[in-house]
């Protein structure tokens, strides 16, 4: 999903200007205001590294005047090193949306958690219906 500078939301195409050598930002406001990306499989290779190509693409996002937002299922503590490798200085939505992390200040701004008794009750009912579960937590 893409929200254009006009406020229009589209699912079909991403405005793209074919690369030129050297890259020159287009005059005027960017065709998009925000680029939101996942970490795993998007910004990070399978070896958990960040490619030069990815870093150049993020630089183009910044040059175009758009903001970059990292959104990841990882808890904030598990993504700090990768955000640092990206030179990421903004907010990150972590922990499946349950955490808001300020990478610049290295500070967890908010964290929502499930009520432990409610979570246990749900797990017990699911196990009763489906059998034993393997669960992990952050």
């Amino acid at each position: 999903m893409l929200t254009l500078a006009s406020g229009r939301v589209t699912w079909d195409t991403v405005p793209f200007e074919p690369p030129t050598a050297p890259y020159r930002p287009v005059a005027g406001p960017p065709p998009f205001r925000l680029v939101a990306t996942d970490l795993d499989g998007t910004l990070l290779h399978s070896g958990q590294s960040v490619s030069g190509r990815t870093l150049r693409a993020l630089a183009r996002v910044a040059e175009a005047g758009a903001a970059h937002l990292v959104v990841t299922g990882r808890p904030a503590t598990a993504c700090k090193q990768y955000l640092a490798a990206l030179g990421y200085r903004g907010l990150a939505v972590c922990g499946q949306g349950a955490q808001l992390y300020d990478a610049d200040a290295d500070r967890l701004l908010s964290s929502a958690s499930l009520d432990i008794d409610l979570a246990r009750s749900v797990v017990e009912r699911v196990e009763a219906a489906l059998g034993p579960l393997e669960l992990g937590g952050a």
Side-chain angles (χ1 to χ4, degrees):
M1 183 174 84
L2 185 69
T3 302
L4 302 174
S6 66
R8 186 173 68 88
V9 175
T10 182
W11 287 91
D12 52 352
T13 60
V14 175
F16 179 73
E17 180 180 308
T20 59
Y23 170 70
R24 288 181 221 94
V26 177
F32 47 87
R33 295 181 288 198
L34 176 73
V35 174
T37 60
D38 187 16
L39 284 177
D40 299 300
T42 304
L43 296 181
L44 301 176
H45 288 270
S46 58
Q48 306 303 299
S49 62
V50 181
S51 72
R53 180 176 183 233
T54 295
L55 292 174
R56 288 188 302 276
L58 292 174
R60 287 183 71 177
V61 166
E63 288 170 11
H68 175 219
L69 177 68
V70 168
V71 182
T72 178
R74 290 174 180 253
T77 55
C79 65
K80 289 180 183 184
Q81 70 187 40
Y82 303 111
L83 296 176
L86 290 165
Y88 188 78
R89 310 294 289 181
L91 298 178
V93 178
C94 303
Q96 302 292 356
Q99 299 175 322
L100 184 60
Y101 172 69
D102 182 339
D104 193 37
D106 187 23
R107 188 171 140 225
L108 190 61
L109 300 177
S110 67
S111 182
S113 59
L114 294 174
D115 175 79
I116 194 69
D117 292 329
L118 175 61
R120 278 194 185 108
S121 172
V122 169
V123 169
E124 288 168 1
R125 285 185 276 170
V126 170
E127 284 186 320
L130 302 176
L133 300 174
E134 282 189 45
L135 303 172

